[in-house]
């Protein structure tokens, strides 16, 4: 494997499992030291189990196995002060910051007009405000360092089209796409690139089981929205990580403000 991140440092949110873990391991394999946070918590609105401290410890083990170093802590992206402190401590430990992956997110399902106030608020707080917090904490460090940098926000195919039964989720994923495009404009002069990735179904802990009955009920009209061009229905987290590692590297030095689908062709339908 090429080592495009030798001597560099990557900050990844939601790194206890799934895509965040795969990204931590991938950047580490390519030479980076890792600053990782995860809430390691259950969420009131989700119908799947939350990540645990044991999951985050496993990420630490996997990163260290590559020979890289990792500063991992149990921090919720909704807590700006704790996130900022964890990031600052990691930068203090490793000496710099090059890459930011705002990956932490949650998902639940309901018809848009039946989403509860609590479900709406939790999703917005984690998926939108959490990404804003991540960028707000990281950007001053990147600007002060004066060597550019790369930020990726993990959106979704639902950041570019209307995925039924996830209106609150889709609203946040569109919102962070707009935030990334705006920040790409503002930060271009500093050679800080900001892009979004748009995965379709990923084999991770995020299994919104509450969507099943709705899918069955509306299958005759809405099933094509979930179909892909490729004869695949699921993406491995490592495949997402490979694209994110490309997007943050000098191989993508002229890519900013872009929306990169990793979706088996779902957005092509
Ligand atoms: N799984 C999919 O099919 C899919 C598709 C498109 C986009 N996404 C997006 O990809 C990202 C990663 O999800 P995943 O598929 O790896 O799911 P996952 O549930 O396995 O991992 C998400 C991680 O984020 C953490 N997290 C959640 N809320 C947090 C918070 N408030 N503070 C800190 N950490 C928090 C979780 O604890 C978990 O470890 C999410 O933003 C998700 O919306 C997922």
């Amino acid at each position: 494997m090429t080592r495009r991140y030798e001597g560099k440092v990557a900050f990844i949110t939601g790194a206890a499992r799934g895509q965040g873990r795969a990204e931590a391991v991938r950047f580490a394999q390519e030479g980076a030291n890792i600053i990782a946070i995860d809430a390691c918590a259950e969420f009131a609105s989700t119908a799947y189990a939350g990540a645990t401290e044991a999951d985050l410890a496993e990420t630490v083990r996997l990163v260290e196995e590559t020979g890289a170093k990792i500063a991992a802590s149990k921090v919720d992206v909704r807590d700006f002060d704790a996130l900022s402190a964890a990031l600052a401590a990691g930068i203090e430990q490793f000496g710099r910051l090059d890459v930011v992956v705002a990956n932490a997110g949650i998902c639940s399902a309901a018809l848009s007009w039946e989403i509860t106030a609590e479900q709406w608020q939790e999703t917005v707080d984690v998926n939108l405000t959490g990404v804003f917090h991540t960028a707000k904490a990281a950007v001053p460090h990147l600007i002060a360092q004066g060597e550019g940098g790369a930020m990726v926000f993990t959106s979704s195919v639902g950041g570019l089209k209307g995925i039924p039964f996830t209106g609150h989720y889709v609203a946040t994923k569109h919102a962070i796409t707009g935030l990334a495009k705006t920040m790409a404009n503002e930060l271009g002069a500093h050679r800080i690139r900001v892009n979004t990735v748009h995965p379709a179904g990923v084999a991770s802990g995020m299994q919104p089981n509450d969507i099943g009955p709705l899918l069955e009920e509306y299958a005759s009209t809405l099933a094509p929205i979930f179909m892909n061009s490729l004869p695949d229905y699921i993406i491995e987290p490592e495949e997402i990580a490979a694209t994110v590692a490309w997007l943050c590297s000098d191989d993508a030095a002229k890519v900013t403000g872009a929306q990169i689908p990793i979706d088996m062709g779902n957005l092509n339908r």
Side-chain angles (χ1 to χ4, degrees), residues 14 16-20 38-40 43 48 51 75-78 103-106 126 154-156 169 173 199-202 204-206:
R17 71 181 185 193
Q19 297 172 56
D38 199 289
C40 304
F43 292 88
Y48 54 88
V75 170
D76 195 308
V77 293
R78 292 171 290 185
N103 161 78
I106 56 171
V126 174
T154 305
S155 180
S156 162
Y169 180 83
K173 294 303 187 181
V202 182
S204 70
M206 180 178 282

Side-chain angles (χ1 to χ4, degrees), residues 49-222:
T52 63
E53 291 187 61
D55 290 328
L56 187 57
E58 177 62 4
T59 298
V60 169
R61 191 189 71 76
L62 291 167
V63 166
E64 288 178 345
E65 205 173 63
T66 71
K69 296 195 177 78
I70 177 168
S73 41
K74 178 172 157 33
V75 170
D76 195 308
V77 293
R78 292 171 290 185
D79 184 345
F80 178 71
D81 291 342
L83 184 155
S84 298
L87 176 59
I91 292 171
E92 175 77 20
Q93 186 178 345
F94 299 134
R96 57 185 294 113
L97 179 66
D98 301 281
V99 167
V100 177
V101 185
N103 161 78
I106 56 171
C107 186
S108 61
L111 290 163
S112 299
W113 57 94
E114 291 177 359
I115 292 164
T116 66
E118 295 75 19
Q119 196 177 10
W120 174 270
Q121 199 59 53
E122 190 171 61
T123 304
V124 169
D125 288 347
V126 174
N127 292 9
L128 175 54
T129 308
V131 171
F132 167 66
H133 284 167
T134 304
K136 182 175 168 59
V139 165
H141 292 287
L142 292 173
I143 291 176
Q145 195 170 280
E147 297 177 39
M151 298 204 294
V152 168
F153 301 166
T154 305
S155 180
S156 162
V157 288
L160 294 172
K161 74 179 200 183
I163 303 285
F165 323 129
T166 54
H168 50 336
Y169 180 83
V170 165
T172 65
K173 294 303 187 181
H174 273 71
I176 63 170
T177 304
L179 180 63
K181 289 160 77 173
T182 301
M183 295 190 87
N185 282 329
E186 294 171 342
L187 291 166
H190 298 278
R191 295 211 171 277
I192 298 167
R193 299 183 296 107
V194 191
N195 295 290
T196 44
V197 290
H198 300 264
V202 182
S204 70
M206 180 178 282
Q207 299 298 330
N209 301 312
D210 38 355
I211 205 169
L214 287 163
L215 279 177
E216 276 175 36
E217 190 180 341
Y218 288 86
S220 63
T221 51
L222 297 180

Side-chain angles (χ1 to χ4, degrees), residues 2 26 130 203 224 227 232 254-255:
T2 51
R26 175 69 189 232
M227 295 176 80
D232 302 319
K254 297 295 187 283
V255 181

